[in-house]
């Protein structure tokens, strides 16, 4: 289902082999966060999707783990930006901004957010991974969310 949706939305999408459940579970173990159901479904169909110019529409498991670990543990990043603990970065625009899943809490809606690497602004861009992929495909340019 996800692969077909992405192929329909993105002519140049590049897919990887599916991720194993064990690999996806490793995200939860290493980051201490639940992998959202939509993301788990995508990763079961393809361990990452590259879009135009190599941007990460959805990162592979290893990049989700590596990028999120770096943003949470690097002291230089901690000195520059607000904490990223509620985020699970899952993609990028190829220009430095990154997209993250945020699970809902009592005071905050969940969804997909963009993190602007220049301003540290965090903007909710979609209710779901599906809506994020659709909005990104329909937009013109890398900064469609601004």
């Amino acid at each position: 289902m996800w692969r077909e949706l992405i192929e329909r939305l993105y002519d140049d999408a590049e897919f990887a082999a599916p991720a194993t459940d064990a690999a996806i579970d490793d995200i939860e173990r290493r980051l201490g966060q639940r992998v959202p159901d939509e993301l788990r479904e995508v990763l079961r169909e393809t361990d990452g999707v590259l879009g135009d110019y190599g941007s990460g529409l959805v990162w592979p498991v290893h990049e989700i783990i590596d990028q999120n670990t770096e943003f949470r543990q690097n002291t230089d990043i901690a000195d520059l930006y607000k904490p990223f603990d509620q985020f699970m970065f899952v993609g990028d625009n190829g220009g430095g901004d990154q997209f993250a899943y945020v699970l809902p809490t009592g005071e905050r809606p969940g969804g997909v957010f963009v993190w602007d690497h220049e301003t540290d602004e965090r903007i909710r861009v979609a209710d779901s991974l599906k809506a994020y992929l659709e909005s990104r495909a329909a937009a013109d340019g890398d900064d469609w969310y601004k």
Side-chain angles (χ1 to χ4, degrees):
M1 178 215 123
W2 285 99
R3 219 178 139 111
E4 290 82 13
L5 171 70
I6 294 166
E7 285 174 334
R8 184 172 43 80
L9 294 171
Y10 300 90
D11 293 335
D12 55 355
E14 296 178 33
F15 298 92
T20 64
D21 283 330
I24 299 167
D25 291 343
D26 199 35
I27 296 171
E28 293 183 344
R29 186 181 62 74
R30 304 260 315 265
L31 300 182
Q33 285 177 285
R34 183 178 68 78
V35 173
D37 294 340
E38 284 184 317
L39 179 59
R40 181 175 288 277
E41 292 167 7
V42 169
L43 293 171
R44 281 179 174 155
E45 290 187 33
T46 177
D47 189 10
V49 183
L50 293 178
D52 54 335
Y53 307 106
S55 65
L57 292 174
V58 178
W59 288 338
V61 167
H62 74 87
E63 192 161 357
I64 291 171
I65 292 169
D66 292 349
Q67 290 290 330
N68 283 281
T69 300
E70 175 72 12
F71 271 80
R72 293 170 191 196
Q73 295 179 359
N74 183 312
T75 55
D76 292 334
I77 290 173
D79 290 341
L80 291 172
Y81 305 111
K82 295 178 278 190
F84 294 102
D85 294 343
Q86 78 279 9
F87 277 44
M88 180 181 289
F89 288 113
V90 298
D92 66 86
N93 73 345
D97 295 344
Q98 296 186 14
F99 298 95
Y101 244 112
V102 176
L103 295 174
T105 64
E107 68 276 358
R108 182 192 66 234
V112 178
F113 285 66
V114 63
W115 169 69
D116 185 309
H117 73 287
E118 293 176 352
T119 65
D120 197 25
E121 189 172 11
R122 296 133 193 250
I123 304 164
R124 187 170 187 256
V125 294
D127 294 340
S128 65
L129 188 60
K130 182 178 185 284
Y132 151 73
L133 291 168
E134 291 170 340
S135 296
R136 187 168 171 173
D140 184 25
D142 290 336
D143 59 352
W144 56 270
Y145 42 84
K146 293 185 180 184

